[in-house]
Amino acid sequence: MKWLKRGLIALVLIGAFVVIAMDDPNAGLKRQAIQFKAGDNQLAGELILPSGTKTPHQCVVFVHGSGDVPTDAFGYYLPLWRVLAANGWCAMSWHKPGVGDSSGDWRSQSMQDRADEVAAAIRYLRQTLGLKDGKLGLMGFSQAGWVIPKVAHQVENIDFLISVGGAVNWMAQSEYSGRQRRLAAGYSESAIAAEQAAEAKVDALIQSGASYQNYLDQVNQNKKAPMSEAFWQFVQRNWASDVTADLTDLDVPMLALFGARDAYVDSDKTASTYHKLLANAPLPFYHVRVFEHADHSLLRTDNIANAHSEHHRWLTLARIWWQGDAAFADGVMPCLTSWLAQFESGWPRQTNICVPEQLSDVKPVLNTDTMQG
């Protein structure tokens, strides 16, 4: 299948060249290289300003999901940055540790380590890049759903959080994701059950703190390709991640966005849990939204595709490069814009922020009965 991979890569590169030739993806943006220290790591990234802006006065800090993610998430962030810039907001993002010019290794981090890294970025943004006491929000993707509420608890003067495809519990999310991957691959229910039984044994090793060799012995019995030792340690460090406690006492406004066709997170169940937790939290207001025709990244789709496959990821990137913000599900960008607009002059006064015609099984969210204080 190497020829297929090469063909897809060639297609993506050709598509990217055509897009760049036809339309500048950085239109409206001023991209400035930055470097800052977080713990022992020197991190490289960018401050993305609206064209013609010299100093940020309101900014959104982007917090990556899992894996080797560069500053722009391979181009996924560009449409979001353009929407932010069009509404007067800057963005800040950086290569994860061990990616690009950033030192360190993200696999050595806990979710708290990641939160500390974001806190260091905020200090740099306010003290060095000139944001000072300007409006500041965090936008976290997938795994960052466990990170950004922690930051809100340890850093003052955060105005809001935006979570995209965040899960509640690490192990539950892993089970759901594994099941969706197998369904997409055509596994029968009996085959799925057998795979889940084998995974349960690995999960028990993870939770018991077993050695990497013990893990290898287990997967060799099942003839499965093992994860690397570094990633094994990463999972052992983070398997207990659960956002419940951090949401229960959250006092920062939150926008939680999900796609109903998510192959990684059970969106309806998770959105319902977010709604219940945030309704009783001390935060002044919140909004939870499930987009019916959206995937894990809020891109437009009608199916829970095999999003775990490499060719699907390449095709997804090609869609983003080709279509820009049109690749996102209907309503995503207007929802984001209306949420940001609420922070232009103090607390929001509207109770209908991007309310859709239908919210799957999730009850009405930002409404008069969810406004507090």
Side-chain angles (χ1 to χ4, degrees):
M1 297 296 285
K2 288 184 179 179
W3 64 269
L4 177 59
K5 180 178 178 181
R6 293 193 188 100
L8 288 170
I9 293 173
L11 176 64
V12 169
L13 292 175
I14 292 170
F17 175 79
V18 172
V19 171
I20 292 171
M22 292 174 59
D23 186 21
D24 181 7
N26 293 305
L29 304 178
K30 175 185 176 183
R31 300 176 64 167
Q32 171 184 329
I34 59 172
Q35 283 195 349
F36 64 97
K37 189 88 169 174
D40 295 328
N41 296 332
Q42 188 73 26
L43 301 176
E46 291 184 82
L47 178 68
I48 302 93
L49 296 160
S51 292
T53 303
K54 293 183 179 180
T55 304
H57 68 279
Q58 50 189 16
C59 202
V60 177
V61 175
F62 278 57
V63 186
H64 302 309
S66 61
D68 299 318
V69 187
T71 296
D72 66 353
F74 305 101
Y76 168 69
Y77 291 161
L78 272 170
L80 298 168
W81 290 348
R82 287 197 294 268
V83 168
L84 289 175
N87 288 275
W89 290 77
C90 82
M92 180 187 183
S93 184
W94 58 94
H95 298 302
K96 289 180 75 172
V99 178
D101 294 328
S102 290
S103 66
D105 186 345
W106 60 267
R107 295 171 298 181
S108 69
Q109 294 182 309
S110 66
M111 295 302 108
Q112 185 57 58
D113 292 332
R114 296 203 61 200
D116 294 341
E117 178 179 293
V118 177
I122 292 171
R123 288 193 297 272
Y124 176 70
L125 178 58
R126 289 202 182 279
Q127 298 172 9
T128 304
L129 297 181
L131 182 65
K132 298 182 180 177
D133 59 353
K135 299 287 184 182
L136 184 141
L138 306 181
M139 189 168 186
F141 301 83
S142 192
Q143 186 186 96
W146 290 304
V147 178
I148 58 176
K150 293 184 183 298
V151 182
H153 287 306
Q154 70 186 72
V155 178
E156 295 181 352
N157 299 324
I158 292 178
D159 292 283
F160 60 83
L161 308 178
I162 302 174
S163 177
V164 175
V168 173
N169 178 275
W170 180 292
M171 299 304 285
Q173 183 267 334
S174 178
E175 181 179 350
Y176 173 85
S177 176
R179 175 175 174 78
Q180 293 303 321
R181 182 177 67 251
R182 291 169 186 125
L183 285 172
Y187 282 53
S188 66
E189 285 296 335
S190 60
I192 291 174
E195 291 277 320
Q196 289 178 329
E199 275 195 352
K201 294 179 180 179
V202 172
D203 290 344
L205 291 176
I206 291 170
Q207 295 176 62
S208 69
S211 70
Y212 184 63
Q213 185 58 55
N214 286 342
Y215 160 70
L216 289 179
D217 293 341
Q218 179 64 53
V219 296
N220 286 339
Q221 292 178 17
N222 300 322
K223 299 180 180 179
K224 296 289 183 180
M227 66 183 82
S228 69
E229 185 170 6
F231 194 75
W232 168 256
Q233 293 171 353
F234 176 74
V235 174
Q236 284 193 317
R237 194 175 291 114
N238 291 290
W239 69 266
S241 296
D242 189 295
V243 79
T244 301
D246 286 327
L247 292 186
T248 298
D249 58 357
L250 185 68
D251 61 0
V252 173
M254 171 172 263
L255 175 64
L257 305 177
F258 302 92
R261 305 294 187 257
D262 195 323
Y264 293 88
V265 172
D266 187 337
S267 56
D268 279 352
K269 185 176 180 180
T270 303
S272 181
T273 300
Y274 264 66
H275 176 56
K276 291 174 183 176
L277 294 172
L278 295 175
N280 295 304
L283 79 177
F285 57 93
Y286 69 95
H287 185 73
V288 180
R289 169 76 191 269
V290 179
F291 292 92
E292 181 62 26
H293 301 286
D295 66 7
H296 184 60
S297 301
L298 303 183
L299 299 175
R300 188 172 5 92
T301 186
D302 291 322
N303 301 294
I304 299 181
N306 186 13
H308 304 271
S309 68
E310 185 172 355
H311 80 272
H312 179 85
R313 288 192 288 269
W314 278 108
L315 291 175
T316 296
L317 290 176
R319 280 181 57 205
I320 295 169
W321 294 343
W322 182 261
Q323 298 177 320
D325 60 2
F328 287 79
D330 291 344
V332 170
M333 294 309 190
C335 180
L336 179 60
T337 298
S338 63
W339 173 263
L340 294 172
Q342 306 309 302
F343 296 88
E344 294 292 339
S345 56
W347 297 117
R349 294 291 178 260
Q350 298 182 21
T351 59
N352 61 344
I353 298 174
C354 60
V355 173
E357 304 80 17
Q358 189 175 7
L359 274 170
S360 300
D361 295 329
V362 183
K363 302 302 180 185
V365 282
L366 184 58
N367 211 321
T368 52
D369 62 343
T370 65
M371 296 294 290
Q372 303 176 22

